[in-house]
Amino acid sequence: MELLDRALDEALQRAGAGREALRYVATTGFGRSNYPERDLQLTDVTAAAHGAAHLFPQTRCVVDIGAQSSRAMKIEPGGRVREFKSNDKCAAGAGGFVERAARYLETTLEAVGDLSLHGEAPVTISSVCAVLAESEIINHVSQGESTENILRGVHNSLAERAVLLLKRVGIEPEVTLVGGMGRQAGMVRALEELLGLRINVAPEPEMANALGAALLAKRRLEKAAA
Amino acid sequence: MKYFAGVDVGSTQAKCIIVDEQRTISARALVETGANVARAADRCFAAALEAGGIARESIACAVGTGYGRFKVSFGDLQITEITCHAKGASLLFPQTRTVIDMGGQDAKAISVRDGEVVDFVMNDKCAAGTGRFLSTAAETLGLGLEEIGEISLRARNPVRLSTVCTVFVESDIMAYVAQGKKIEDILGGIHSAIAARTIALVRRVGLEPQFTFTGGVSLNVGMVKMMEEKLGQPLNVSADSHYMGAIGAALFASEHALVPAGN
């Protein structure tokens, strides 16, 4: 809650507005019910869909890869969710794995995306489970594989998980990537290669869900006023 | 005297068993596998020779098993750990029909007849039900892997885990700690969830007694108890259950060496 307040204040400060200017607050994400002053509470799926549809109006499929989840949605023009598949029960396919891999490879999360682009011969990571995949990484390191090839293998394995989810909702362009993993160029390339498609990447991908929530808050308020 | 060695190089630990011509265990050794799999195999073989006071030359045959079996440079043969666990279990518990093997990074259920594998299933897609899951849980609680089983036995109101994902369970555990739940109740919930999951795996090969529990997790008394409760059946567990793959491999080594050449 403290964190929520801090984020809210910082955003208001950047907008040059005070709390009194806030007309409607929508929350989303893992901690969405922890903010007592919310007017509206949205699932990650709804928020991501609306954020993506706003940023790229031709979006028909959304992939959301965050630290602890990976999801795929099929949406209508305007952002209504037609179908979604998510993996919330287990860490397979979620981005947190990259963070731990980065730590093990003694590099930073920021550097991972570009390092992966330089992997000429990506390793194969056969484990679906994030924990078992970590052991595979350790094996690759001990066999002398380069950091670049390992990280490209990591991105490929996450892309495979995401594309499996996408296939279950039905792949239809345009595909938009949201969530923190959108920051990593190697992740974007891995998805594009596997899909055989160019994809849209939200400019501040980790903000896309918050953007979607803000847009829905605005719409709700306007509806109430009409 | 001739001896025969079985070396089971697992993902987490390497085990070596040396048997004599009467198939009696003469020596055993266990080392952490670490990053260098080939060296782990050598180290644990050397440690077993030393423990038994056995000269390397008197080893007539050595068999490698486990995930690192092809890194056993001194091995005469490689045999899968599934075949070896079935073999080892049938030496120690001849009435074994089902082997439940919970190792460092995988869990398996093996249906056995007279020491031979009839069917098996393994959980290699997820770390739940492996030593890795339990060590993560222990670490999150600031406990040693060897003490959590005992503590879980004291659970009165075991918690319900929302996930058996090794990654997510950390935050689940921390949330329970923050709520003031007792450590034994948290551990009770963990053991219960993992036992239920493992039994679901075993059900896929058929729940046929006797059950023999092998692999490192068999050292965990809490898991043994919980599985027995849920199965409604006793589990065969020996102090050597952890070494079952290596025992099986050593038995194969003795059979291989004692069969006349050309047969």
Side-chain angles (χ1 to χ4, degrees):
Chain A
M1 229 188 99
E2 213 174 290
L3 275 172
L4 266 167
D5 275 323
R6 257 178 29 216
L8 190 58
D9 284 336
E10 201 180 314
L12 283 166
Q13 200 187 341
R14 284 192 205 171
R19 283 228 177 183
E20 68 291 345
L22 272 184
R23 300 285 304 280
Y24 207 90
V25 177
T27 60
T28 186
F30 175 74
R32 60 182 178 269
S33 56
N34 292 344
Y35 189 70
E37 280 133 87
R38 68 190 179 277
D39 300 292
L40 177 65
Q41 182 175 319
L42 300 161
T43 66
D44 303 62
V45 172
T46 305
H50 283 84
H54 176 79
L55 292 165
F56 301 99
Q58 302 305 315
T59 301
R60 291 298 166 268
C61 282
V62 184
V63 190
D64 177 3
I65 313 179
Q68 295 216 340
S69 57
S70 69
R71 305 188 181 90
M73 298 141 236
K74 180 86 155 248
I75 67 168
E76 292 171 4
R80 237 183 101 94
V81 178
R82 241 196 290 164
E83 209 185 335
F84 77 93
K85 295 287 170 208
S86 77
N87 184 13
D88 293 332
K89 281 276 164 215
C90 108
F97 168 46
V98 181
E99 197 174 348
R100 284 190 303 277
R103 210 177 306 146
Y104 189 78
L105 293 165
E106 293 175 347
T107 178
T108 63
L109 195 53
E110 292 68 39
V112 159
D114 291 330
L115 281 170
S116 151
L117 286 182
H118 293 105
E120 300 292 334
V123 303
T124 303
I125 292 175
S126 53
S127 296
V128 172
C129 170
V131 174
L132 301 183
E134 228 178 293
S135 311
E136 274 190 64
I137 292 178
I138 295 171
N139 283 341
H140 285 307
V141 172
S142 71
Q143 278 161 28
E145 282 287 354
S146 73
T147 298
E148 288 84 353
N149 284 342
I150 295 173
L151 287 172
R152 189 167 175 191
V154 166
H155 281 139
N156 284 348
S157 85
L158 289 183
E160 270 172 46
R161 307 306 309 159
V163 170
L164 276 178
L165 291 175
L166 267 175
K167 280 186 178 156
R168 287 168 60 202
V169 298
I171 299 171
E172 193 185 320
E174 295 176 2
V175 177
T176 299
L177 174 63
V178 302
M181 287 300 292
R183 289 265 178 202
Q184 298 179 7
M187 181 77 239
V188 176
R189 180 182 65 180
L191 272 171
E192 288 186 332
E193 276 180 358
L194 203 56
L195 284 167
L197 287 173
R198 294 304 300 264
I199 62 172
N200 303 316
V201 184
E204 292 177 281
E206 68 283 352
M207 290 291 187
N209 295 13
L211 172 66
L215 293 168
L216 282 167
K218 179 168 176 280
R219 190 192 291 178
R220 188 66 75 90
L221 186 66
E222 286 165 354
K223 233 184 202 172
Chain B
M1 187 67 139
K2 272 187 188 162
Y3 293 95
F4 313 92
V7 185
D8 178 6
V9 187
S11 62
T12 311
Q13 292 172 324
K15 286 81 64 178
C16 178
I17 287 282
I18 297 174
V19 297
D20 63 18
E21 285 169 54
Q22 279 72 50
R23 316 202 323 165
T24 306
I25 296 175
S26 309
R28 52 177 74 66
L30 182 148
V31 304
E32 298 300 316
T33 303
N36 192 330
V37 178
R39 213 178 56 204
D42 290 336
R43 268 168 40 225
C44 100
F45 182 43
L49 289 171
E50 200 190 324
I54 297 163
R56 201 169 183 124
E57 307 76 62
S58 43
I59 300 292
C61 182
V63 169
T65 187
Y67 117 111
R69 63 185 175 275
F70 294 107
K71 297 282 171 74
V72 181
S73 57
F74 50 87
D76 300 294
L77 268 182
Q78 289 85 32
I79 299 176
T80 75
E81 66 271 25
I82 295 157
T83 307
C84 289
H85 275 266
K87 182 88 169 175
S90 301
L91 175 79
L92 267 59
F93 303 103
Q95 303 303 314
T96 301
R97 301 296 283 267
T98 309
V99 174
I100 303 170
D101 171 29
M102 293 170 82
Q105 292 200 7
D106 54 17
K108 304 184 190 81
I110 310 163
S111 171
V112 183
R113 291 290 172 280
D114 307 318
E116 290 194 16
V117 178
V118 178
D119 191 11
F120 76 93
V121 289
M122 71 193 274
N123 171 23
D124 54 358
K125 287 220 157 80
C126 164
T130 68
R132 184 63 188 271
F133 179 95
L134 293 168
S135 64
T136 301
E139 224 170 273
T140 308
L141 288 166
L143 296 167
L145 183 57
E146 66 295 339
E147 51 185 345
I148 58 170
E150 195 81 48
I151 298 172
S152 79
L153 294 176
R154 301 202 297 263
R156 291 283 165 273
N157 302 295
V159 302
R160 243 192 126 77
L161 292 183
S162 64
T163 171
V164 283
C165 171
T166 309
V167 175
F168 292 168
V169 82
E170 287 182 44
S171 52
D172 236 24
I173 291 174
M174 278 164 354
Y176 279 126
V177 171
Q179 283 168 34
K181 295 279 184 201
K182 292 194 177 125
I183 300 294
E184 58 259 38
D185 287 338
I186 298 174
L187 284 171
I190 287 169
H191 284 72
S192 168
I194 295 302
R197 200 184 154 86
T198 306
I199 288 165
L201 185 75
V202 180
R203 198 163 277 132
R204 287 167 53 197
V205 296
L207 295 175
E208 260 195 88
Q210 295 179 0
F211 297 92
T212 299
F213 193 7
T214 70
V217 180
S218 66
L219 299 171
N220 176 318
V221 288
M223 194 58 73
V224 174
K225 189 84 188 303
M226 196 58 88
M227 301 258 285
E228 287 182 332
E229 233 168 69
K230 288 188 195 284
L231 274 171
Q233 293 276 345
L235 292 178
N236 298 321
V237 186
S238 117
D240 278 328
S241 274
H242 195 175
Y243 290 92
M244 210 61 95
I247 294 172
L251 295 179
F252 280 119
S254 75
E255 286 171 14
H256 181 72
L258 297 175
V259 167
N263 257 19

